[in-house]
Each structure stands twice: as C-alpha cells, then as structure tokens.
Amino acid sequence: MSIKFKIAETESFTKKIYKSEYKNLYKKIKEYAYPLLKRNPFFGPNIKILKGNYSDFYRFRIGDYWLFCTVNKQEIIVFIIDIMHIKNAYK
C-alpha cells in the first residue's frame, strides 16, 4: 500500500488563486498537479527541488507557471505556498 499525501493550501495561496486570472489554471492544478503530488511530491517530470536557501521547497511546473510547495514528511502533508508566472518567479 502506498502512502497518500494530503494537500493543504496556505492562506496566501488561496487569496491569490481565486482571482479571475487563475480560474482555469486552478482547475488544472486540482485535476492534474494535486493527484501527482498526493502520490509522490518528491519526484516527477514537473517537480524539482529548489537549491540554496530554498532547499526545503519544491516547484511544480504547470504550463508557464510554477506552483511552489513544501512537504511535511511526518504529517504526510504537501503545503501549497504560492504560484507565479515563470518570468516573475525569481524577481
């Protein structure tokens, strides 16, 4: 039996994602990204661990956007932190 991670959206993420510009993207996140993150938030074709000061965070690519998250292994939860357009992510 494989472990299924839970998804928890932070307040800052939910405030951002409910804006009209993200409506279609949020549907894609729930239908595509969340099932993959629930199965294995550490590895996948669109998942990458960040480096340096951000080594506790992962990014998940969804088209031209990055979904940023962190994983609590003890509680088996993936915390969804933020979403940004790729061109704005490291500004």
Side-chain angles (χ1 to χ4, degrees):
M1 181 170 90
S2 64
I3 297 173
K4 286 253 184 188
F5 283 79
K6 298 174 193 166
I7 302 291
E9 297 173 343
T10 62
E11 186 177 336
S12 61
F13 173 76
T14 55
K15 283 181 181 179
K16 192 175 197 178
I17 203 67
Y18 286 117
K19 294 180 180 177
S20 62
E21 65 188 278
Y22 292 107
K23 187 176 182 179
N24 289 333
L25 186 60
Y26 188 54
K27 183 179 179 190
K28 197 180 282 189
I29 290 168
K30 289 186 345 184
E31 292 176 358
Y32 176 70
Y34 283 1
L36 294 175
L37 289 170
K38 285 179 179 181
R39 278 193 303 254
N40 187 351
F42 306 106
F43 180 77
N46 296 319
I47 299 171
K48 184 175 180 181
I49 190 165
L50 302 182
K51 297 179 182 177
N53 294 336
Y54 302 102
S55 61
D56 291 337
F57 297 91
Y58 295 81
R59 72 173 195 223
F60 189 104
R61 184 173 183 160
I62 302 170
D64 291 336
Y65 291 85
W66 282 339
L67 184 69
F68 294 95
C69 60
T70 188
V71 181
N72 181 318
K73 295 176 190 173
Q74 288 77 30
E75 295 182 24
I76 313 171
I77 299 174
V78 178
F79 290 97
I80 308 301
I81 307 294
D82 201 357
I83 187 160
M84 292 183 182
H85 194 279
I86 289 172
K87 68 180 181 180
N88 299 325
Y90 292 111
K91 288 185 178 184

